[in-house]
């Protein structure tokens, strides 16, 4: 059986599946816990222009929740853990057994016992004795080879041990990772939980991606948690040990076969969305909502907009993150947030928190084509005021850049006490 959806139905299904809708009157840690179980991942990113990226998705869906609630779930209650999902993410602990296939722990343990692994084994022993540790706190961290991702030898070995599941992220100092042995970070119940076979684990994660998206193409549902992506297909030896030639190449992809098997097994249903060139998939028993009541500023690292081609297919928004674009060549701004209203993205704003002056800076504001500024501006102004209060800032400044900026600035002045 194949399901056919209009583009409007696909949008509503996608937005609701991502946890958008009416917001609770008093968001709590319990709401954040439920949201994590629904989205399966909060992406982590170093950009702190407004606030760290992993804090924003819960605000977008729940409103002014206590930011320490997320930290508590990760570092105190140990209900979330840091590992590779879509990218570096905070994942619910229930996913730990499902991502074990990525860790190749047994191969890593064998490597540590070998003569070639002696230096890495020494790093592991030091963390076991002194952890949690930052890379710079190792007795021999090594010199960095560059100013960006040029890690020193100590950092490289820590990351290998983390990827292999022998170490875990116990916390962060600023944004610097603190490594500790997994047994001191991951709860025993998760460590001892049965681990599905590799392909079954991948299938379960693909299904979770389909459920979180509501409807998606092959690339959407496998890309949600990067199933069978480049990281999944790398050789299991440390990158500094990888042989040249065929033995050092990535394995051949298997995700298309896995998705076909999931359809045969009835765990995914084929679908068609009007206007989409590629076939799509939905979870069984999917229900399309009749309406969506949502209003949110969405970070570019939000799971709603991870896949830029999906943004364009669903919402008609062409989006490129311009963080690394030279300032004179930026079209919309440095750190641009799409604005979700109802079931679509209607505008975008370049946002920055000036913490010293306690100001939320709207450095640009642009309206999407075919949208009515008279409907968008009051809702956007209200959401900006909501964000300002959540961030503990005193006021909002709207710059002149963008076709929506003047109207938004007037709306802010008219609403001021």
């Amino acid at each position: 059986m194949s399901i056919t959806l209009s583009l409007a139905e696909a949008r509503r299904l996608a937005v609701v599946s991502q946890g958008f809708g009416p917001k609770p009157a008093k968001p709590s840690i319990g709401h954040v816990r439920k949201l994590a179980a629904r989205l399966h991942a909060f992406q982590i990113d170093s950009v702190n222009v407004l606030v760290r990226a992993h804090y924003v998705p819960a605000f977008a869906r729940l409103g002014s929740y206590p930011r320490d609630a997320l930290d508590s779930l990760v570092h105190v209650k140990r209900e979330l853990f840091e590992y590779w999902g879509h990218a570096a993410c905070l994942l619910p602990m229930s996913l730990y057994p499902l991502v074990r296939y990525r860790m190749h722990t047994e191969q890593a343990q064998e490597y540590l016992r070998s003569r070639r692994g002696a230096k890495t084994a020494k790093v592991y022993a030091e963390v076991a004795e002194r952890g949690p540790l930052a890379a710079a706190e190792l007795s021999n961290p090594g010199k960095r080879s560059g100013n960006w991702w040029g890690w020193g030898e100590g950092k490289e070995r820590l990351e290998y041990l983390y990827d292999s599941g022998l170490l875990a992220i116990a916390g962060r100092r600023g944004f610097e990772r603190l490594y500790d042995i997994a047994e001191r970070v991951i709860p025993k119940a998760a460590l001892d939980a049965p681990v599905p076979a590799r392909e079954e684990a991948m299938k379960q994660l693909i299904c979770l991606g389909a459920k979180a998206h509501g409807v998606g193409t092959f690339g959407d549902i496998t890309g949600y948690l990067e199933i069978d992506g480049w990281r999944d297909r790398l050789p299991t030896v440390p990158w500094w040990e990888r042989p040249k030639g065929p033995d050092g190449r990535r394995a051949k992809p298997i995700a298309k076969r896995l998705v076909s098997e999931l359809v045969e097994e009835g765990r995914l249903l084929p679908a068609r969305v009007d206007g989409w060139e590629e076939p799509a998939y939905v979870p069984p028993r999917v229900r399309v909502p009749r309406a969506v009541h949502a209003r949110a500023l969405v970070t570019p690292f939000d799971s709603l907009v991870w896949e830029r081609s999906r943004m364009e297919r669903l919402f008609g928004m062409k989006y490129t993150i311009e963080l690394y674009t030279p300032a004179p060549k930026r079209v919309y701004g440095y750190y641009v947030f799409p604005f979700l209203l109802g079931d679509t993205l209607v505008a975008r704003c370049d946002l920055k928190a000036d913490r010293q002056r306690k100001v939320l800076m709207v450095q640009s504001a642009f309206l999407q084509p075919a949208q009515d500024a008279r409907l968008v501006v009051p809702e956007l102004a209200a959401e900006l005021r909501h964000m300002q209060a959540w961030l503990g800032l005193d006021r909002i400044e709207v710059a002149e850049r963008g076709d929506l900026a003047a109207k938004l600035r007037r709306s802010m002045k008219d609403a001021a006490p």
Side-chain angles (χ1 to χ4, degrees), residues 67-197:
R67 273 191 1 230
D68 61 358
L70 185 57
D71 292 333
S72 178
L73 288 172
V74 180
H75 302 306
V76 180
K77 297 180 180 294
R78 300 295 188 193
E79 295 182 30
L80 304 180
F81 69 105
E82 185 172 335
Y83 198 64
W84 301 110
H86 178 77
C89 290
L90 299 176
L91 310 171
M93 200 60 71
S94 60
L95 265 61
Y96 191 79
L98 297 183
V99 298
R100 293 289 290 270
Y101 80 90
R102 285 186 169 153
M103 297 179 179
H104 308 292
T105 306
E106 292 182 1
Q107 292 94 323
Q109 290 170 331
E110 183 178 343
Y111 175 69
L112 296 193
R113 291 191 292 266
S114 72
R115 182 179 299 176
R116 298 176 71 91
K119 288 184 178 180
T120 308
K122 187 176 180 180
V123 170
Y124 177 81
E126 184 172 357
V127 174
E129 181 183 351
R130 299 177 51 218
L133 291 178
E137 294 172 322
L138 290 172
S139 57
N140 184 19
K143 292 183 179 180
R144 291 181 60 167
S145 58
N147 294 324
W148 194 235
W149 292 115
W151 292 341
E153 184 178 295
K155 173 70 171 178
E156 287 185 337
R157 297 182 191 280
L158 286 170
E159 284 291 308
Y160 167 70
L161 291 165
Y162 161 61
D163 289 351
S164 70
L166 294 174
L167 298 184
I169 306 305
R172 285 182 179 255
R173 186 181 297 127
F175 198 69
E176 188 177 24
R177 280 174 165 171
L178 300 178
Y179 304 84
D180 206 348
I181 61 171
E183 290 80 2
R184 293 200 289 249
V185 177
I186 306 300
K188 190 175 186 300
L191 287 170
D192 294 344
V195 177

Side-chain angles (χ1 to χ4, degrees), residues 327-404:
K329 295 184 178 181
R330 290 178 194 140
V331 177
Y332 296 104
Y334 183 80
Y335 195 42
V336 176
F337 281 57
F339 179 52
L340 175 69
L341 188 62
D343 66 1
T344 198
L345 301 176
V346 297
R348 63 184 102 192
C349 296
D350 182 15
L351 301 180
K352 178 178 179 178
D354 186 330
R355 298 173 185 87
Q356 187 172 1
R357 295 191 302 133
K358 301 196 75 173
V359 173
L360 175 58
M361 300 171 65
V362 184
Q363 300 185 113
S364 74
F366 291 86
L367 188 70
Q368 277 293 97
Q371 297 297 327
D372 188 340
R374 293 170 297 180
L375 299 177
V376 172
V377 165
E379 298 288 354
L380 177 55
E383 192 63 20
L384 286 165
R385 285 192 291 269
H386 192 187
M387 177 173 276
Q388 169 208 335
W390 178 62
L391 294 174
L393 303 174
D394 291 341
R395 57 194 176 89
I396 300 172
E397 288 180 357
V398 182
E400 297 179 358
R401 188 178 183 186
D403 57 5
L404 204 59

